[in-house]
Amino acid sequence: MNMTMIIAGISVFMAVPAFSKRPDMKQIEMEKHVISIPENISCITRSEEDFSIHSCRKEGRLLLSIYFGNHPDAKKSKDALKEYVNIGGYNGTRFKSKSAAGDRVDIILTLMDREWPQRAHLFYEGLKKTETKLVENIIRSFSKKEDLPDVSP
């Protein structure tokens, strides 16, 4: 069983570059970081003095929110499953819990020690299976802007 989980993890990791290099993808810059999203998804930014929130939507439906700042507010329940993750070279924690809308996932990444922003909080809730798969691919594409592979034709 452990071997199966390792193999699945490797195959998902290896599929990420193919996802971000597809011709129907675009790169969205946000606070010195980027994500790759399909052309049919929009990303709107709301910036305040000490944080910013990027909302990714498809046909008006909220799929993924990304918070940048120093004080993320994860709405995790006491019984949330906790997992340590590394996304885009950043260590963090993934919390998966149930909400009235369905499954909720909160991922909090530590970005830097002394600069703004120090944290990224990626979260989604109540998505269909196909939407969850798409959003998980977007999350795995999260990286520092300078770490991006060249995707020019």
Side-chain angles (χ1 to χ4, degrees), residues 61-62 99-105 124-128 131-132:
R61 179 168 161 76
L62 180 62
S99 73
D103 287 343
R104 178 177 175 94
V105 173
Y124 63 89
E125 181 175 30
L127 301 181
K128 300 173 190 169
E131 293 170 328
T132 299

Side-chain angles (χ1 to χ4, degrees), residues 1 13-14 22 26 33 36 41 43 45 51 58 60 63 65 69 71 76 79 93 100 145-146:
M1 181 158 164
F13 177 75
M14 291 171 56
R22 289 180 10 200
K26 60 185 174 184
H33 296 83
S36 294
I41 294 180
C43 211
T45 302
F51 69 90
K58 182 177 180 182
L63 297 178
S65 296
H71 304 285
K76 56 189 181 294
D79 60 340
T93 308
K145 185 178 176 185
E146 65 265 14

Side-chain angles (χ1 to χ4, degrees), residues 32-34 88-90 141-150:
K32 305 176 203 167
H33 296 83
V34 293
Y90 297 110
S141 76
F142 181 90
S143 65
K144 268 188 184 177
K145 185 178 176 185
E146 65 265 14
D147 291 344
L148 261 185
D150 182 15

